[in-house]
Amino acid sequence: MNFMNAINKYRRERWLYMHHLKPLASLYRSWIYLIHNCYIPPEAEIGKGTLFGYKGMGVIIHKRAKIGEDCIIGSNVTIGGGGGNSNKKIPEYESIRRDVPVIGKRVHIGTGAKVIGPIVIGDDVIIGANAVVINDVPSGAVCGGTG
């Protein structure tokens, strides 16, 4: 059943938030937390076609994070701010950099991965299960472990 996935509840929550119905959006956020044990705030920007594995169980997303279209995010994934500092600057990303992760299109983030800090993940990237990503990742890369 599609409606049981946290991403579908997030989309309703975001619609309520964007239409200035914040008390109702807050109820949706509580419902998402209660049912899926995850935190997906309506302020987070999540592109169309993005899916959560295992109905989004344990996913935590920072409210200022931006996630592109057609991504797959495994269970127990954290996408958050703080702790990371990118020493490697990639010029094509400088215009979109934030203090929290910006994730490109068609990115697959494996179960238990942590994407932390003011970093940019390019398009078509695969992040392995339980990886800790604290640096920019160029488009088309595959990363695992800590990097």
Side-chain angles (χ1 to χ4, degrees):
M1 290 195 258
N2 246 356
F3 71 92
M4 289 302 290
N5 196 310
I7 192 72
N8 296 322
K9 291 179 188 75
Y10 156 80
R11 300 227 184 272
R12 291 179 184 93
E13 174 192 19
R14 174 120 171 124
W15 186 91
L16 291 166
Y17 179 82
M18 298 303 288
H19 287 86
H20 308 289
L21 299 169
K22 292 179 183 177
L24 290 174
S26 180
L27 285 174
Y28 257 91
R29 184 178 321 143
S30 297
W31 187 30
I32 292 169
Y33 181 76
L34 181 67
I35 301 297
H36 300 284
N37 193 32
C38 65
Y39 182 73
I40 308 167
E43 298 91 345
E45 298 175 44
I46 302 175
K48 293 179 181 180
T50 293
L51 300 173
F52 293 150
Y54 293 98
K55 298 182 170 91
M57 296 299 288
V59 172
I60 299 172
I61 298 177
H62 194 283
K63 70 179 183 179
R64 289 189 309 273
K66 182 175 180 179
I67 300 169
E69 297 176 357
D70 300 319
C71 294
I72 298 173
I73 300 172
S75 60
N76 295 311
V77 167
T78 299
I79 299 172
N85 184 13
S86 179
N87 296 325
K88 190 168 71 173
K89 301 297 182 195
I90 301 175
E92 67 187 88
Y93 297 143
E94 289 307 312
S95 64
I96 60 172
R97 188 173 301 282
R98 300 178 177 198
D99 58 343
V100 296
V102 175
I103 297 172
K105 298 175 184 174
R106 298 171 305 280
V107 174
H108 184 134
I109 303 175
T111 299
K114 310 300 181 235
V115 181
I116 302 170
I119 62 173
V120 177
I121 307 298
D123 297 339
D124 303 305
V125 169
I126 297 173
I127 298 173
N130 295 314
V132 178
V133 183
I134 57 173
N135 291 306
D136 292 340
V137 179
S139 295
V142 175
C143 61
T146 303

